[in-house]
Amino acid sequence: MPRTNLNDILIFMAVVDAGSFIAGGQAMGLSRSAAGKAVIRLEERLGARLLNRTTRTLGLTDEGRVFYERGLQILASVDEAEASVGGQSGMPRGVLRLTLPDAFGRLVILPLLEKYLRTWPDIQVEMSFTDRLADIIEEGFDLAIRIGAAASDSRLASRVIATYRTRLFASPSYLAARGEPRDIDDLAAHDCLIFTSRNQRQGWRFRGKGSSWIKAQGRSRLRLDSGEAIRDAARAGLGIALLPDFLIAGDLAAGHLRQVLPELEADDTKIVTLYPDKRLLEPRIHRFIDLLVEALGQERSGARSSP
């Protein structure tokens, strides 16, 4: 059976990325008609429809989605092969695909992209803002940024890029209505806003005497899977929240939130990058991690490996 024309695969992927035959064709230096014919050839060769076409929209079929994801893996392998020849000092190019927490991504990471894109003009970036823990390899991401999560998957490497203080906060209205807790035991009588994801709840613990850790026994009537939503709930007077500095700086200065039990020392919030564990890391990933470390602080100990 003759091999599929690889250029047809690239045209198909360009059409999907652009969302239309016109833009996808232009990205490949082709007309709309030529791009359409290339996709039709590919579908006929595979014996499956890859795209659902209407006069207004263009969408992937289930078969098309699987084929597109495999195409991403092929392109990643090509990039890795080039990196193995050119070394990590090679010129970054291609598409950097990121998954990152919603609030941290928009507040901290998004402002850093201007420098990255300006420095490396051959780079494109696709970002997925979500507090859901995506499967990096299965979903085709180059890099994930996680809050407080090291690599538990043997296929992944990790690197700590920043550390933020984490403290308890509540709104003045909540404290006026419910009273201010005097010690850690008083949290049991308060509504605590807890982060939860995939049925796993965040535990609150604080350093006690002799550097031992004490778990707080707070009541939780409202649980959320978004750090920004927890902050907003605290601002609305719905309870006490355990939040990192980067998320509350503006609210603290404006008086929307007040620190609670400032003498309690909580775990620091570590910001971690996770990426497929490879002998050589593609320049686009390597340079982006370098930028994060430079902008957000020194790398801390405990990372499994560094690029």
Side-chain angles (χ1 to χ4, degrees):
M1 184 178 292
R3 179 175 293 172
T4 300
N5 187 329
L6 292 178
N7 199 49
D8 288 349
I9 298 176
L10 295 177
I11 295 168
F12 161 72
M13 297 185 69
V15 168
V16 174
D17 289 338
S20 75
F21 284 104
I22 294 176
Q26 289 176 343
M28 297 294 293
L30 301 171
S31 66
R32 180 197 183 286
S33 175
K37 289 178 181 178
V39 173
I40 291 173
R41 282 196 304 270
L42 185 59
E43 290 177 324
E44 290 176 346
R45 171 68 177 80
L46 297 174
R49 178 176 289 276
L50 301 177
L51 294 172
N52 287 320
R53 308 156 173 86
T54 70
T55 56
R56 295 177 177 235
T57 62
L58 191 69
L60 285 167
T61 64
D62 290 341
E63 293 81 4
R65 187 172 295 104
V66 171
F67 193 78
Y68 178 79
E69 290 172 355
R70 293 301 297 270
L72 292 178
Q73 295 173 13
I74 292 170
L75 292 180
S77 297
V78 172
D79 287 342
E80 185 174 0
E82 291 187 351
S84 68
V85 175
Q88 293 184 359
S89 61
M91 182 69 70
R93 65 174 188 82
V95 181
L96 179 69
R97 295 178 173 87
L98 308 173
T99 174
L100 59 172
D102 186 34
F104 184 78
R106 289 188 291 104
L107 294 173
V108 179
I109 302 300
L110 196 56
L112 300 178
L113 279 181
E114 188 277 333
K115 179 179 180 180
Y116 180 70
L117 293 171
R118 173 169 43 83
T119 304
W120 309 112
D122 292 330
I123 285 288
Q124 302 172 48
V125 178
E126 293 180 3
M127 307 178 77
S128 174
F129 294 92
T130 175
D131 290 319
R132 176 183 66 86
L133 299 181
D135 187 313
I136 301 169
I137 294 177
E138 292 298 324
E139 298 182 42
F141 289 108
D142 293 310
L143 184 75
I145 297 176
R146 299 270 169 82
I147 297 178
S152 57
D153 188 328
S154 61
R155 300 172 299 171
L156 301 176
S158 64
R159 184 176 182 180
V160 178
I161 57 172
T163 301
Y164 294 92
R165 287 186 61 195
T166 304
R167 297 172 288 170
L168 290 170
F169 298 94
S171 69
S173 63
Y174 175 87
L175 296 175
R178 298 290 299 275
E180 192 157 348
R182 295 165 297 177
D183 54 38
I184 190 172
D185 293 332
D186 279 356
L187 290 175
H190 283 269
D191 292 325
C192 298
L193 303 169
I194 300 295
F195 180 88
T196 182
S197 178
R198 293 185 177 179
N199 297 320
Q200 294 184 350
R201 297 186 188 180
Q202 171 196 40
W204 287 7
R205 68 172 196 169
F206 302 93
R207 194 180 299 277
K209 295 180 180 179
S211 296
S212 61
W213 290 95
I214 303 172
K215 289 186 178 180
Q217 302 300 320
R219 179 177 61 172
S220 174
R221 299 177 60 206
L222 178 59
R223 296 174 290 278
L224 307 100
D225 67 354
S226 162
E228 193 169 30
I230 291 176
R231 182 204 61 191
D232 292 345
R235 283 184 54 173
L238 295 175
I240 298 174
L242 184 65
L243 296 167
D245 286 346
F246 74 84
L247 202 54
I248 50 80
D251 292 296
L252 201 60
H256 299 313
L257 293 174
R258 280 173 40 195
Q259 188 175 357
V260 175
L261 296 173
E263 69 279 4
L264 290 182
E265 180 184 350
D267 282 313
D268 287 337
T269 295
K270 288 183 171 57
I271 309 299
V272 180
T273 59
L274 301 176
Y275 46 91
D277 192 2
K278 305 173 184 177
R279 185 176 63 84
L280 287 171
L281 206 58
E282 289 87 347
R284 67 179 183 277
I285 305 173
H286 177 71
R287 298 301 183 190
F288 187 70
I289 294 175
D290 284 347
L291 171 65
L292 296 181
V293 172
E294 178 186 356
L296 301 181
Q298 294 292 323
E299 181 186 8
R300 306 314 202 262
S301 62
R304 224 187 82 193
S305 63
S306 59

